[in-house]
Amino acid sequence: MDFNIAVVKGDGIGPEIVDEAIKVLNCVGEKFGHTFNYKEVLAGGCSIDVNGVPLTQETIDICKNADSVLLGAVGGPKWDNVDSTLRPEKALLGLRSELGLFANIRPAMMYEALADACPIKKEIIGDGFDLVVCRELTGDVYFGKHYRKESENGYGIMGCDDMNYSTYEVERIARRAFEMARVRSKKVTSVDKANVLETSRVWRETVTKVAKDYPDVELDYMYVDNAAMQLVRNPGQFDVIVTGNLFGDILSDEASMITGSIGMLPSASLNEGGRGMYEPIHGSAPDIAGKNIANPIATILSAAMMLKYSFNLTDEANVIEKAVNDVLNDGCRTADIALKGEDVLSTSQMGDKICEKIKLG
Ligand code: IPM
Ligand code: MG
């Protein structure tokens, strides 16, 4: 089969890690007889440099017309001082909203081989964990009105960001979470701050209503502060965590770190039709950009998610996931997951090792 993929390499380490994901996709394509066509587009800081804006209509159109979008990372200190409406991150937010990617799926699991890189003690981790953060991605304070006004009490300028959620938005992400839990361990934890926020009270009421359609799935609730604590106290208790945009942003970084490195976590951002954008959850890491030392695994696993979620190529996706697992078991490590004294592979060497396994497997 033929698939058209829009590729947004972006900034910082984006180009290096995306190149490895493409290498792996081509390897899988060869093995299974698929052709992946890539159309590279600019977004983020590199687009600011060339076009004066982080996201052009051309990029949006190409991404909308592609079968899927593969993205590296955007942003960096070079663009820290640009006007807030022109920041590189706006490209990411713009693509998410233009493509209607409301469901952000961020799986985090413990790799046996990386147990020593996990910052949590063995006694606490026990048998490990396998959870997925199901983050709402096109609403919340991220997309509320951002503005400034003079405060009324003479306290100076006030920065304001509207936080809001409609029942429609909560219902559709909640349904995704329950559907996902159904084929996993049948447990959803809804994370909010309903003891303080009205947004969260609407969230909780709506999730509770949706749960009635999924009697086979257990539902519990957690306040976000407690959830942050429980993630490091007992991550094994979670299956699917469903939460809003802001809380999901924070909790997914935390979830990634307990796997050993933020360089391991992939993500899928899906719309109502199943179209998606696939990207690592980490950022552009400008401090290590261009050095061929970044970990490409999160992006490679994001490509695997693309095969599974957008192209229905489950066997092909499993082959990638198994290859990653196998190279980790063989002791292959990039700098971020290496322990002191262990040999370290470069970004491209890690990509090569994974391809070798795919060819063999
Ligand atoms: C993420 C990132 C983005 C977010 C930033 C870069 C805007 O942190 O994908 O988690 O906050 O969503
Ligand atoms: Mg984040």
Side-chain angles (χ1 to χ4, degrees):
M1 291 230 285
D2 251 53
F3 300 95
N4 295 322
I5 303 173
V7 177
V8 186
K9 291 187 176 176
D11 310 314
I13 58 170
E16 308 159 52
I17 53 177
V18 169
D19 282 347
E20 296 315 304
I22 289 178
K23 196 192 267 177
V24 168
L25 279 172
N26 288 341
C27 183
V28 169
E30 218 161 277
K31 189 179 172 86
F32 289 85
H34 305 301
T35 307
F36 300 110
N37 306 307
Y38 308 98
K39 172 87 185 151
E40 218 180 293
V41 288
L42 294 181
C46 54
S47 173
I48 297 177
D49 290 349
V50 174
N51 305 307
V53 289
L55 184 62
T56 59
Q57 191 58 45
E58 190 195 355
T59 291
I60 295 172
D61 291 341
I62 292 173
C63 290
K64 271 189 181 163
N65 289 324
D67 296 322
S68 181
V69 183
L70 180 65
L71 187 142
V74 298
K78 182 176 174 195
W79 305 280
D80 267 354
N81 297 319
V82 300
D83 186 87
S84 67
T85 56
L86 289 177
R87 285 188 65 91
E89 290 81 358
K90 282 275 169 197
L92 204 51
L93 302 181
L95 281 172
R96 288 171 181 173
S97 78
E98 286 284 341
L99 302 178
L101 309 171
F102 71 93
N104 185 218
I105 316 296
R106 299 187 158 185
M109 59 178 189
M110 172 108 152
Y111 285 90
E112 199 65 40
L114 292 186
D116 289 333
C118 169
I120 300 178
K121 285 198 192 99
K122 277 205 179 72
E123 310 89 87
I124 294 175
I125 285 286
D127 292 335
F129 56 91
D130 179 358
L131 61 88
V132 47
V133 179
C134 181
R135 168 189 178 195
E136 200 290 328
L137 203 61
T138 51
D140 202 356
V141 67
Y142 270 60
F143 290 92
K145 195 171 155 208
H146 309 293
Y147 59 103
R148 294 177 185 210
K149 64 178 187 187
E150 191 66 46
S151 63
E152 280 154 23
N153 44 15
Y155 283 8
I157 292 289
M158 196 154 72
C160 311
D161 302 274
D162 279 349
M163 178 183 251
N164 57 66
Y165 263 123
S166 63
T167 52
Y168 172 77
E169 291 173 299
V170 182
E171 183 171 337
R172 67 178 177 177
I173 191 71
R175 287 199 184 280
R176 280 290 164 97
F178 282 104
E179 300 285 346
M180 225 169 358
R182 255 191 182 158
V183 292
R184 294 175 45 97
S185 300
K186 298 192 170 32
K187 183 176 173 192
V188 169
T189 304
S190 172
V191 173
D192 62 35
K193 191 69 189 172
N195 49 348
V196 178
L197 303 173
E198 201 53 37
T199 326
S200 284
R201 288 190 272 269
V202 168
W203 178 279
R204 195 176 276 222
E205 283 162 25
T206 309
V207 172
T208 307
K209 271 190 201 143
V210 171
K212 297 206 167 71
D213 293 337
Y214 301 88
D216 50 323
V217 178
E218 183 193 338
L219 167 67
D220 65 2
Y221 310 92
M222 248 181 223
Y223 296 138
V224 62
D225 47 349
N226 183 31
M229 186 268 276
Q230 294 295 338
L231 263 176
V232 287
R233 198 186 73 90
N234 177 14
Q237 71 184 289
F238 295 105
D239 179 23
V240 177
I241 295 176
V242 64
T243 189
N245 207 342
L246 181 64
F247 300 154
D249 178 45
I250 299 166
L251 293 180
S252 58
D253 265 31
E254 191 188 0
S256 76
M257 200 52 223
I258 57 175
T259 67
S261 168
I262 193 165
M264 296 292 300
L265 247 76
S267 84
S269 306
L270 306 172
N271 69 11
E272 307 223 19
R275 278 273 184 84
M277 182 159 89
Y278 298 82
E279 55 177 310
I281 83 145
H282 60 70
S284 60
D287 51 321
I288 59 165
K291 296 185 177 160
N292 196 22
I293 59 172
N295 186 348
I297 291 182
T299 317
I300 290 169
L301 290 173
S302 301
M305 290 184 88
M306 172 189 291
L307 299 183
K308 197 181 291 180
Y309 288 95
S310 284
F311 302 161
N312 234 332
L313 301 177
T314 311
D315 289 345
E316 290 81 341
N318 289 343
V319 163
I320 298 180
E321 286 168 2
K322 180 170 183 304
V324 167
N325 207 22
D326 288 350
V327 298
L328 291 174
N329 285 337
D330 285 355
C332 298
R333 302 283 186 271
T334 41
D336 56 314
I337 49 175
L339 299 177
K340 250 202 190 111
E342 277 181 340
D343 286 343
V344 167
L345 296 183
S346 67
T347 309
S348 49
Q349 284 170 330
M350 183 58 106
D352 290 340
K353 290 278 181 200
I354 292 169
C355 285
E356 276 168 33
K357 286 285 178 199
I358 290 172
K359 283 181 194 145
L360 281 176

